[in-house]
Amino acid sequence: MPSARRDVSGTTPVAGDTRARYRRILRFAGWNLAVTWWFELFLPRIGLTKIAERTRSRRMRRFAQRFHVLAVDLGGLMIKVGQFMSSRLDVLPPEITTELEGLQDEVPPVPFGAIRALAEAELGVPLGRAFTRVDETPVAAASLGQAHRARLAPLDAADTGLDGVVLKVQRPGIDDIIDVDLAALRRVGGWLSHVRLVSDRVDMPALVEEFALTSLEEIDYLHEAQSSVRFADDFEGDDRVSVPAVVWERTTRRVLTLEDVTAIKITDTDALVAAGIDPVEVAPVFAAVMFDQLFTNGFFHADPHPGNIFVTPVAAAPGERSWKLTFIDFGMMGEVPANTRSGLRKLLIAAASRDGKGLVDAIRDVGVLLPSAETSELERAMTQLFARFGGMGFAELREVDPREFREFGQQFSDVVRSLPFQLPENFLLIIRAMSLTSGVCSALDPAFNLWDSVEPYAQQLIRDERGNVVQDVARQALETAGIAVRLPKRLDTLVTRLEDGQLAVSSPALERRVARLERLARRIVSALLFGALLIAGAVLHASDAVFGTVLMIASVLPLLHALFAGRRGR
């Protein structure tokens, strides 16, 4: 990408840069859509499906690698898009999600002069009046903002009781970049919504808006400050957890000033041991705190990677815990709403009874099913998947061969990608938080077993919902009784129609498949005719240019039939 032109401040992209950025994103998307159309739609229509299947894995991996380069080059939301895609196991194949897992939000820092100018414009005072010192070298630089250590001015220090703080400043010009990126993503989402292969599986415009909402919240530092206060309130009086205080007088939508709580990075086991802290003891406490957020509070830190959690030593009596967990960066938070809890409860009932329809009803309640979902196929698939582990307790699950879980996970991901549904953002954030929690705990203690920590919370959830479970079972019993009462009359009607010869049996699915095979046969004949005319025309062109040209032009007709005849009657 050519070096961006800047305005006099040296930071804000001008109109030409944003247009170039917009076009580059659309060019990347357009080219890859064209490649996908050629391999996934065109080649199968002319009978070359095996070529598409044989090259699919390599093409997906190459796309992810090229997107990785684009994201690192452009920064802005493109890095967030890559991280977002890496978590969409329900929509994207593993070749893409695996390649993008390692995409880090690390970019070169903005010159301090530009950071100073934005911070002073936001705070309305020179930095020298608000702070006695601001380190010009940032402690962290990301695509949306960067952070600098500072010391509060004496008056603010006296009012807040704080001295050292972290000044987090939005990257100058990021608002314009995000507007451009979201405009490009909405355009691409609109394109994809007209591709049946995509629209049958995922609501792309809704997916883009979901991503846009998360991104806009992440650059609103007032929203992040409010989230940190809510998180702190949830753990008020809990000596396991601490949260940095917000300096509200020095906080705006683009500038966030927080207490500096830098301590030992949670996965720095050498530093923990040097401080007299056993990493093995930290793991279960961290897991318990995360599960408290998920199962009890319903408001959780959705980005608990090692850089966002410190282990802070504290004074303690002999035999007591001499440390606490300090969470930072509350830009990405998640909630477990009431409908999700209800859906999980129904899922529990259906899984225990191996009820495929009940499983589908439960995932519909949490907003997973798309309108185009064929529920009968989904019912059979979910019944097959959950039946493998149905009725097994946590103790039994701990004894299952890990290869069984890997095989189950592979089958489940295949079903997710082959059927038209997607996981809501809440579910994705829950999965992300659980995955990061497991990774951190394993880094602290390689022998850590997540089941040991999750079991008491799962049991509590079941106890809390037991009354509702009983009500659901009673309701299902009444529905079953109603069916039983109506069954004799329906059977009598069926037998009467059979005796009268009025019973007709139809299979719309079979009829559609036969019609599809007939259309496919006609398209294959057209494709062969296209190839024969084209080759004949090319051969004859050398000796009879006019006749050869006529044959090559005539080959277009069977080509058009091969490509578009199958659309009729769908």
Side-chain angles (χ1 to χ4, degrees):
M1 181 179 178
S3 59
R5 293 183 292 116
R6 306 288 176 180
D7 66 5
V8 293
S9 71
T11 60
T12 305
V14 296
D17 295 319
T18 57
R19 285 195 296 269
R21 182 185 184 90
Y22 180 79
R23 288 196 296 267
R24 184 176 178 189
I25 295 171
L26 292 188
R27 278 199 306 271
F28 178 89
W31 168 254
N32 284 281
L33 282 174
V35 170
T36 301
W37 173 86
W38 175 264
F39 282 97
E40 303 296 340
L41 296 177
F42 178 78
L43 292 185
R45 281 183 179 273
I46 60 174
L48 299 177
T49 303
K50 289 186 177 180
I51 294 178
E53 293 175 347
R54 189 168 60 249
T55 61
R56 183 173 295 129
S57 180
R58 185 172 67 253
R59 286 186 287 108
M60 294 297 100
R61 192 175 299 108
R62 187 184 303 123
F63 162 78
Q65 292 168 347
R66 290 174 176 170
F67 184 85
H68 192 290
V69 172
L70 177 78
V72 172
D73 194 10
L74 290 183
L77 283 188
M78 290 301 103
I79 290 178
K80 297 294 181 183
V81 170
Q83 294 174 333
F84 186 76
M85 288 196 296
S86 71
S87 68
R88 295 310 307 237
L89 303 177
D90 57 319
V91 177
L92 299 172
E95 291 84 359
I96 292 178
T97 58
T98 302
E99 178 67 31
L100 296 178
E101 278 178 352
L103 189 60
Q104 299 296 314
D105 191 3
E106 296 176 358
V107 297
V110 175
F112 183 71
I115 292 295
R116 175 190 292 275
L118 190 150
E120 290 180 343
E122 283 291 308
L123 297 176
V125 297
L127 286 188
R129 287 179 53 189
F131 306 94
T132 58
R133 178 179 61 81
V134 178
D135 291 346
E136 295 190 7
T137 302
V139 294
S143 58
L144 304 184
Q146 65 187 51
H148 297 257
R149 284 199 174 93
R151 289 191 177 278
L152 287 176
L155 185 59
D156 286 339
D159 288 343
T160 62
L162 303 175
D163 181 22
V165 294
V166 171
L167 181 66
K168 186 174 178 180
V169 183
Q170 196 177 94
R171 203 171 182 88
I174 195 63
D175 281 338
D176 292 335
I177 290 175
I178 287 178
D179 287 344
V180 170
D181 290 356
L182 289 179
L185 292 173
R186 289 184 174 109
R187 184 74 176 272
V188 174
W191 291 347
L192 291 173
S193 68
H194 296 294
V195 179
R196 185 174 178 181
L197 182 69
V198 176
S199 61
D200 281 351
R201 294 178 55 193
V202 59
D203 185 347
M204 278 305 302
L207 193 65
V208 172
E209 292 308 319
E210 173 185 309
F211 173 74
L213 178 62
T214 301
S215 301
L216 293 173
E217 285 182 349
E218 196 167 349
I219 64 167
D220 184 350
Y221 289 164
L222 287 174
H223 183 272
E224 180 176 342
Q226 291 164 354
S227 294
S228 73
V229 170
R230 178 178 173 183
F231 188 88
D233 289 343
D234 284 344
F235 286 97
E236 185 177 6
D238 190 329
D239 63 0
R240 301 172 301 169
V241 178
S242 67
V243 178
V246 178
V247 183
W248 288 102
E249 296 80 2
R250 301 302 178 208
T251 294
T252 69
R253 195 179 74 84
R254 295 183 176 87
V255 174
L256 175 60
T257 305
L258 296 166
E259 176 187 7
D260 187 354
V261 292
T262 305
I264 303 171
K265 185 177 178 179
I266 190 169
T267 53
D268 189 345
T269 54
D270 291 339
L272 290 173
V273 172
I277 300 171
D278 185 354
V280 173
E281 294 180 0
V282 176
V285 175
F286 173 62
V289 169
M290 288 303 302
F291 292 141
D292 274 344
Q293 298 170 45
L294 289 163
F295 295 116
T296 304
N297 303 339
F299 182 66
F300 62 95
H301 198 301
D303 196 23
H305 65 73
N308 283 340
I309 300 103
F310 295 119
V311 177
T312 305
V314 296
E320 295 184 358
R321 183 168 27 82
S322 59
W323 50 270
K324 60 183 177 181
L325 297 170
T326 303
F327 287 76
I328 63 171
D329 194 351
F330 299 91
M332 186 184 295
M333 304 297 292
E335 295 196 49
V336 185
N339 68 311
T340 300
R341 283 181 173 273
S342 174
L344 289 174
R345 175 170 51 84
K346 291 181 179 180
L347 191 66
L348 180 65
I349 299 170
S353 59
R354 302 187 181 187
D355 176 8
K357 186 178 185 305
L359 287 170
V360 173
D361 290 341
I363 62 176
R364 182 182 287 111
D365 286 348
V366 294
V368 172
L369 272 176
L370 293 180
S372 59
E374 170 52 52
T375 58
S376 60
E377 291 293 327
L378 189 56
E379 288 167 13
R380 285 194 293 269
M382 297 299 287
T383 300
Q384 179 183 359
L385 288 171
F386 282 94
R388 290 184 59 181
F389 302 113
M392 298 178 68
F394 287 101
E396 294 171 292
L397 287 171
R398 281 198 294 266
E399 302 301 322
V400 173
D401 188 333
R403 287 173 296 185
E404 287 262 347
F405 285 118
R406 284 196 293 270
E407 184 182 348
F408 170 77
Q410 181 62 44
Q411 289 186 13
F412 182 72
S413 64
D414 289 343
V415 170
V416 169
R417 284 188 291 271
S418 64
L419 293 174
F421 67 92
Q422 65 184 43
L423 296 176
E425 176 72 4
N426 288 322
F427 261 47
L428 289 170
L429 292 180
I430 291 171
I431 293 170
R432 175 183 175 84
M434 291 285 285
S435 175
L436 289 171
T437 299
S438 178
V440 169
C441 290
S442 296
L444 290 166
D445 178 11
F448 181 79
N449 189 335
L450 194 65
W451 290 114
D452 292 334
S453 294
V454 75
E455 182 172 7
Y457 292 92
Q459 291 175 345
Q460 182 61 45
L461 179 63
I462 293 172
R463 284 195 297 269
D464 291 345
E465 301 290 350
R466 184 169 293 159
N468 292 325
V469 170
V470 171
Q471 292 176 12
D472 281 352
V473 171
R475 189 179 302 111
Q476 291 178 13
L478 288 175
E479 292 175 358
T480 302
I483 293 172
V485 169
R486 295 190 298 272
L487 187 58
K489 182 177 180 180
R490 297 179 66 180
L491 286 175
D492 182 62
T493 302
L494 179 61
V495 170
T496 300
R497 293 181 63 186
L498 185 61
E499 291 174 345
D500 294 342
Q502 298 176 352
L503 183 64
V505 179
S506 65
S507 177
L510 181 59
E511 293 169 0
R512 286 196 299 270
R513 290 185 180 182
V514 171
R516 192 177 301 119
L517 286 173
E518 292 174 349
R519 290 195 298 271
L520 178 60
R522 289 195 294 269
R523 293 203 304 275
I524 290 174
V525 171
S526 296
L528 292 174
L529 183 58
F530 157 70
L533 289 174
L534 183 64
I535 294 171
V539 171
L540 293 173
H541 190 270
S543 58
D544 190 339
V546 175
F547 187 51
T549 302
V550 169
L551 287 179
M552 286 190 287
I553 293 174
S555 70
V556 173
L557 295 176
L559 173 63
L560 293 174
H561 180 270
L563 291 177
F564 301 111
R567 293 187 177 182
R568 296 196 301 267
R570 283 188 179 180

